[in-house]
Amino acid sequence: KKLGMVRKPANFISSIADDRGEELKYCGVTISDVFSQEMGIGGVLSLLWFRRQLPRACTKFIEMILCVTADHGPAVSGAHNTI
């Protein structure tokens, strides 16, 4: 039995990511701008977590933290607490 329901195309939008239209946007910045401006992981995380583009020093700090914590195992936890 047909209920007459029409399925709408799926579009995901939140307060920080929008995939409607031609190109994905993070906090209003298109994904092609993210790559052309070479924002890196720190820049993307600033858009997604802080909902704005942080200064370069802040994004480099975020990337440094990711590099330091990437090799986090049981023997490294003491060193991280020291840092």
Side-chain angles (χ1 to χ4, degrees):
K1 215 179 197 191
K2 233 179 179 169
L3 299 175
M5 295 176 16
V6 177
R7 186 174 187 156
K8 292 173 38 176
N11 286 321
F12 176 79
I13 183 170
S14 71
S15 59
I16 52 175
D18 183 3
D19 76 347
R20 298 174 298 169
E22 294 293 317
E23 195 169 0
L24 175 65
K25 293 181 182 178
Y26 293 152
C27 197
V29 179
T30 60
I31 196 71
S32 61
D33 287 341
V34 167
F35 288 110
S36 67
Q37 296 175 16
E38 297 181 0
M39 287 186 186
I41 297 294
V44 170
L45 290 179
S46 76
L47 293 173
L48 293 175
W49 290 355
F50 302 104
R51 297 182 184 183
R52 61 190 171 106
Q53 194 168 351
L54 294 175
R56 185 72 181 142
C58 295
T59 60
K60 291 298 282 181
F61 182 71
I62 292 171
E63 291 174 5
M64 181 188 68
I65 291 170
L66 288 173
C67 290
V68 169
T69 58
D71 181 31
H72 189 278
V76 183
S77 62
H80 285 224
N81 291 337
T82 305
I83 293 172

